Amino acid sequence: MSGVKTYAVTAGAAPAAVAGAAAGIAVVVLAGAALKAYQERIEREKEAARQQEIEIKGKIAEIRRSGSTSGQPRVTVNLPKNTSKSAPAADAARKVNGLKSQLPKIRKEYQTLVEQQLLDEETVGQALEQTTQALNENNLAAAEAHLQALDDARIQVIQQSRQEWNAQVDYLHERISQLDVVLPSTLRENLIARSEQLRTGQFSEGELETLHAEITELTAQAGRIEEAAHNLVNSWQTVGYAAGILGRDDGDMVIEVQTHEGVNTQMRIQFNGEEINLFGPPEESHSCASRTIEAMRLFQQQGYQLEWTHLDHQPVPEEWRYLYANVLYKTSAQPQEVVTIETEAESVSENTTSKKSPRRQQAQGY
């Protein structure tokens, strides 16, 4: 029997919202030391998230202070001087009437920029007042000169806003680049593409905030599976095997355990934290099987919950799923039933004499 196993992780290596929503016919409940370790880890994650949120807000405020419109004086309108009365033209009256009809919309547009403290209120008011006066006097040249001055000021505001916006997108890229070696390539490419859309498209404060929140959660998830890998290594070392982290592979954490001479066992913790895969040699000794069970039990006590789901890519019998659990609750239409499962290696390796026993098969085949 080969040693290729799949474990579903229902608590501990994935975001709390995911771990807390584990579905299926049975949900294992952490208890005792495992529950305490899990709760302590959640509290550490919350504090780390709070500190990171403070850091992000501080950096955004710094960007806005240096080189942003909020850090500069409000743009003033350079009012034209010595505007002469326009020469008679065949279509002058039509143009004047057209500008008069657009004037309420123009006033509203510039009033918005004034309220955003981007344009100087006094010079905007003067320019609009002189535009109105010129139109009432049918002085098209003077009206157009003042409207051009207003438009020049608006363009200057847009340029300054774009500079600030580009600095905000640069900060997004900086945060993404810090995750280059830990994120799966598809997630990283998606973040980069969406941030570039912000640079070339319309300003979207909502999407900017969404991306920052996603990067924060992905940073936390990378930390979760790295901590899980260290805890898994410690579990193997406790039962007497040399073990270490090989590194990351497209976001997944990979560890190696020297379980056999010349043949090692590898374990891969998927980036989403919901599955762990074990790749062992085809044949296992009685001692190795026992220590494997003990190592997984120790890993669970560090605040994780495992459900053994597949062996050689085939579903395992239901009675094997919670081999490493202490207590589980089976959920169904019937009242909940509490089931106790022995997890000591001796219970599996010594007290299972029948060849048909699932635990005997487990001890023989990793």
Side-chain angles (χ1 to χ4, degrees):
M1 187 184 296
S2 72
V4 180
K5 292 183 176 182
T6 301
Y7 301 98
V9 187
T10 56
V18 175
I25 61 171
V27 177
V28 179
V29 179
L30 291 170
L35 178 60
K36 184 174 185 293
Y38 175 75
Q39 291 174 333
E40 288 176 350
R41 186 160 55 247
I42 292 299
E43 288 304 313
R44 291 197 303 271
E45 289 179 7
K46 288 180 179 179
E47 177 59 23
R50 189 181 72 84
Q51 292 297 330
Q52 188 166 42
E53 183 68 17
I54 293 173
E55 180 182 338
I56 292 168
K57 288 182 178 179
K59 180 64 175 180
I60 291 174
E62 180 183 339
I63 292 172
R64 289 174 175 170
R65 284 194 302 268
S66 58
S68 72
T69 54
S70 61
Q72 298 179 5
R74 299 169 191 172
V75 175
T76 58
V77 180
N78 294 320
L79 299 171
K81 299 178 180 179
N82 302 321
T83 55
S84 59
K85 189 176 180 66
S86 57
D91 61 347
R94 179 178 58 80
K95 289 183 178 180
V96 166
N97 290 332
L99 289 175
K100 284 182 178 180
S101 66
Q102 295 176 34
L103 202 55
K105 181 180 177 180
I106 293 171
R107 285 183 179 277
K108 184 177 181 180
E109 176 186 358
Y110 285 96
Q111 182 59 36
T112 298
L113 295 175
V114 167
E115 291 173 355
Q116 294 174 347
Q117 299 185 355
L118 300 175
L119 283 178
D120 173 64
E121 182 176 10
E122 181 178 357
T123 53
V124 167
Q126 290 175 358
L128 289 171
E129 180 180 348
Q130 292 178 28
T131 298
T132 302
Q133 180 178 347
L135 291 174
N136 289 336
E137 295 174 353
N138 294 319
N139 188 345
L140 181 61
E144 289 179 334
H146 284 87
L147 288 174
Q148 184 61 56
L150 284 165
D151 194 49
D152 291 343
R154 182 182 61 82
I155 292 172
Q156 185 178 344
V157 166
I158 291 174
Q159 290 173 340
Q160 290 181 356
S161 297
R162 177 59 66 181
Q163 290 174 358
E164 177 188 342
W165 187 253
N166 284 339
Q168 297 278 18
V169 176
D170 287 342
Y171 178 44
L172 276 178
H173 276 281
E174 179 185 330
R175 296 192 66 203
I176 295 170
S177 67
Q178 292 172 353
L179 296 175
D180 277 350
V181 297
V182 301
L183 282 187
S185 58
T186 53
L187 289 178
R188 183 176 65 252
E189 290 166 4
N190 176 267
L191 290 173
I192 292 173
R194 288 163 61 193
S195 64
E196 278 304 305
Q197 287 176 356
L198 286 179
R199 190 189 300 279
T200 58
Q202 296 294 320
F203 297 168
S204 175
E205 291 288 349
E207 179 64 7
L208 186 75
E209 293 175 1
T210 296
L211 280 170
H212 273 301
E214 288 184 19
I215 294 169
T216 296
E217 177 50 41
L218 290 171
T219 302
Q221 181 57 22
R224 289 187 193 102
I225 65 166
E226 182 171 353
E227 182 175 1
H230 284 289
N231 287 332
L232 195 53
V233 165
N234 290 338
S235 298
W236 283 107
Q237 291 174 342
T238 300
V239 299
Y241 284 125
I245 297 174
L246 289 182
R248 295 182 184 267
D249 181 16
D250 199 32
D252 298 348
M253 291 295 300
V254 182
I255 73 170
E256 187 168 79
V257 188
Q258 297 178 16
T259 52
H260 305 77
E261 185 176 351
V263 181
N264 294 330
T265 293
Q266 284 194 1
M267 296 190 76
R268 175 184 288 262
I269 307 175
Q270 291 188 1
F271 181 81
N272 61 18
E274 297 176 33
E275 187 173 292
I276 297 177
N277 302 112
L278 181 149
F279 306 93
E283 298 297 334
E284 297 302 316
S285 67
H286 180 86
S287 172
C288 181
S290 297
R291 284 197 281 179
T292 299
I293 294 172
E294 182 67 7
M296 294 303 97
R297 185 183 68 84
L298 290 172
F299 177 66
Q300 175 186 265
Q301 287 182 350
Q302 296 174 85
Y304 301 90
Q305 186 55 64
L306 300 180
E307 297 177 24
W308 183 16
T309 61
H310 291 79
L311 176 64
D312 292 342
H313 311 293
Q314 298 298 319
V316 300
E318 183 63 25
E319 59 265 34
W320 289 10
R321 289 178 65 89
Y322 302 100
L323 182 63
Y324 314 108
N326 294 316
V327 177
L328 66 87
Y329 287 86
K330 288 187 176 180
T331 59
S332 65
Q334 302 299 322
Q336 290 185 338
E337 175 187 4
V338 180
V339 181
T340 301
I341 297 180
E342 294 178 342
T343 59
E344 294 296 337
E346 293 80 359
S347 298
V348 177
S349 60
E350 296 177 4
N351 298 334
T352 53
T353 57
S354 171
K355 291 185 178 180
K356 294 183 179 180
S357 167
R359 293 189 179 182
R360 178 63 174 173
Q361 295 175 35
Q362 163 66 4
Q364 293 175 337
Y366 224 83

